[in-house]
Amino acid sequence: MLMIYMNPVTWDALPERERREIFAGHERFVAMVTESGEMIRAEALADPSTGAAVRVRQGAVHATDGPYAVAEEHFGGYYLVECPDRERAVELAALIPDARYTGVEVRPMMDGAAPDL
């Protein structure tokens, strides 16, 4: 999974031209990984302020508006890709436009078996 992080302050500071280029870069990326057969799924997430953080304490459910934690960056979306190895996943992550401004985290998916430790 190529997890894309977003920093609203950084995003707000970008000129409109650069924002359009980021979106165009995502379109190119999707076309490339679709053509290569590596694309499985992709989703963008809504702003964290529209979500809820849910905690259960002593059997009571507590839901609060907004993100789970206060942070400069938040999880903004992901690409789920099928790669032969970590190196290819890192190579793909570097092609995602957001990697120039915030970060893209590469995480393998568990297949139901215990991870190799």
Side-chain angles (χ1 to χ4, degrees):
M1 179 178 280
L2 309 178
M3 301 165 52
I4 303 166
Y5 288 87
M6 178 66 164
N7 182 320
V9 173
T10 300
W11 180 257
D12 290 344
L14 293 176
E16 185 61 31
R17 169 193 51 73
E18 203 158 344
R19 291 182 195 189
R20 284 193 306 272
E21 178 53 35
I22 289 170
F23 289 126
H26 279 279
E27 289 176 11
R28 289 188 299 273
F29 180 81
V30 168
M32 182 199 65
V33 293
T34 299
E35 184 176 316
S36 71
E38 294 169 301
M39 173 66 87
I40 295 174
R41 182 183 178 114
E43 296 290 339
L45 301 176
D47 188 274
S49 65
T50 64
V54 179
R55 296 168 181 83
V56 178
R57 301 293 184 267
Q58 299 177 342
V61 176
H62 302 276
T64 56
D65 292 340
Y68 177 74
V70 176
E72 287 183 12
E73 296 179 348
H74 62 267
F75 182 48
Y78 68 89
Y79 289 105
L80 186 57
V81 295
E82 178 93 27
C83 298
D85 52 39
R86 180 180 185 272
E87 289 72 28
R88 176 60 176 159
V90 169
E91 181 181 322
L92 291 175
L95 296 174
I96 296 173
D98 304 66
R100 295 186 313 239
Y101 303 99
T102 56
V104 177
E105 183 178 350
V106 175
R107 300 266 307 268
M109 301 290 291
M110 293 179 59
D111 62 3
D116 294 331
L117 301 177

